[in-house]
Amino acid sequence: MLIRKPSDILPSEITTQAVYQQRRRLMLQGGAALAAAGATGWSARQAFAAAPTGAALPGTPNPAFQATDKPTSYEDVTSYNNYYEFGTDKSDPARYASALRTEPWTVQVEGEVGKPQTFDIDALRKLAPMEERLYRLRCVEGWSMVIPWVGYSLNALIKQVEPTGNAKYVEFVTAVQTDTMRGVRGNVLDWPYVEGLRLDEAMHPLTMLVFGLYGHVLPNQNGAPLRLAVPWKYGFKSAKSLVAIRFVEQQPKTAWIKAAAREYGFFANVNPNVDHPRWSQATERRIGEDGFFTPKRKTLMFNGYDEVASLYQGLDLRANY
Ligand SMILES: Nc1nc2c(c(=O)[nH]1)N[C@H]1C(S)=C(S)[C@@H](COP(=O)(O)O)O[C@H]1N2
Ligand SMILES: [Mo]
């Protein structure tokens, strides 16, 4: 279960990466000073714990994709996760995903494309300029976060492989490492974790191929070395640790549809008016804001990304949940 921590010194008032970095330096200095003075309290340890540890991966902030919400702290973004391959508790990914082997790493891009290709992760990192975008992420379970991702629009990759006229959907296949992933030894889901988008959804500029967060390479628990971010859909569509991207004619059979088709649909657009069979989707709990008296936030249609509405004109969003 989630245990809330005091948030007074968490870097949660950050607005941009530059401010974050500056704050981080100050916190590290402050932490070092406290440590030198023999302070071993929670705040001294927290000052170290809250800073990114991976290699730097800066992105140029793209003004077109900046949520105005306050970013969720690095600590929360990297310690409260869903990554069932490593276990179903929110703390399991942070605890166990360090075992994931992220090198070497290739992504097979195949199927209904003129130029199928296997990309090395380094080639993908260089394929388009890295941008920083602040996106909201709304989990189908009723919580949300605000994350400064680093990456670029998936359509940059799609254009390179030239989809054929038969490509109607894109299937995303994620890693299975039986020796490092304790979760895949059980059958909570039918592994590999597979997701899918319609081709026009995959081509939408908001759909992002993500390599980092908070100016650093993705922590394993967040889907290293690359994952999707599809901010107008429930979080489960944003598949982690991609190994293959397939262009197909038929709607992909996703892991969540196979597990519970009545509860999780293919579209999975954030929609406060269509409840999950077991709970309401009208409101959400923003991670880092929750206290006994904190009111829940109203969930917004398409998670507030109204620019995607035209993709669904004429589609009954109640039937196509
Ligand atoms: N491979 C894989 N990708 C996954 C998941 C998963 O279990 N396995 N969980 C999804 C869900 S339910 C959510 S809410 C987001 C969480 O992303 P985050 O941990 O980076 O916030 O990842 C999604 N991607
Ligand atoms: Mo989720």
Side-chain angles (χ1 to χ4, degrees), residues 80-102:
Y80 187 85
N81 302 99
N82 274 337
Y83 195 162
Y84 275 20
E85 288 86 334
F86 291 101
T88 54
D89 279 4
K90 294 289 175 276
S91 56
D92 283 341
R95 188 172 303 152
Y96 298 116
S98 58
L100 181 74
R101 280 183 309 280
T102 58

Side-chain angles (χ1 to χ4, degrees), residues 79-284:
S79 61
Y80 187 85
N81 302 99
N82 274 337
Y83 195 162
Y84 275 20
E85 288 86 334
F86 291 101
T88 54
D89 279 4
K90 294 289 175 276
S91 56
D92 283 341
R95 188 172 303 152
Y96 298 116
S98 58
L100 181 74
R101 280 183 309 280
T102 58
E103 270 175 10
W105 195 279
T106 59
V107 180
Q108 260 173 274
V109 187
E110 58 195 15
E112 291 290 346
V113 290
K115 295 181 173 170
Q117 209 177 318
T118 300
F119 290 89
D120 191 77
I121 184 66
D122 289 326
L124 285 173
R125 285 203 189 97
K126 290 182 205 131
L127 189 115
M130 287 289 173
E131 296 178 5
E132 184 170 77
R133 303 179 181 184
L134 190 63
Y135 278 177
R136 288 181 291 275
L137 180 146
R138 169 60 156 82
C139 179
V140 75
E141 297 164 348
W143 51 268
S144 63
M145 294 197 189
V146 185
I147 305 175
W149 299 120
V150 179
Y152 50 78
S153 292
L154 175 66
N155 64 28
L157 170 63
I158 297 180
K159 284 170 192 163
Q160 289 229 340
V161 297
E162 299 174 8
T164 72
N166 294 329
K168 300 285 190 295
Y169 294 90
V170 190
E171 179 178 79
F172 301 91
V173 185
T174 76
V176 179
Q177 290 179 4
T178 34
D179 57 334
T180 67
M181 296 172 157
R182 60 207 327 268
V184 303
R185 296 168 210 157
N187 52 5
V188 193
L189 289 172
D190 187 2
W191 313 107
Y193 189 105
V194 168
E195 259 307 332
L197 294 171
R198 226 169 46 189
L199 183 61
D200 60 339
E201 298 177 319
M203 287 294 292
H204 194 282
L206 271 173
T207 300
M208 192 177 179
L209 204 52
V210 169
F211 301 83
L213 59 81
Y214 269 111
H216 291 257
V217 297
L218 278 174
N220 290 353
Q221 60 266 37
N222 293 95
L226 82 168
R227 52 96 52 87
L228 287 179
V230 193
W232 73 94
K233 293 177 179 284
Y234 291 118
F236 67 85
K237 300 296 287 183
S238 295
K240 294 177 170 180
S241 306
L242 303 172
V243 295
I245 300 176
R246 297 188 184 130
F247 292 77
V248 295
E249 195 158 6
Q250 304 297 327
Q251 185 173 299
K253 296 199 182 349
T254 71
W256 281 109
I257 292 180
K258 284 197 231 173
R262 220 174 62 83
E263 304 193 5
Y264 308 105
F266 180 79
F267 285 95
N269 293 321
V270 174
N271 188 341
N273 309 314
V274 176
D275 289 343
H276 183 276
R278 292 184 280 135
W279 59 82
S280 163
Q281 292 292 24
T283 62
E284 66 199 59

Side-chain angles (χ1 to χ4, degrees), residues 50-77:
T53 48
L57 185 69
T60 308
N62 184 331
F65 302 108
Q66 302 295 336
T68 52
D69 313 41
K70 187 171 84 175
T72 304
S73 75
Y74 181 82
E75 178 74 3
D76 281 339
V77 168

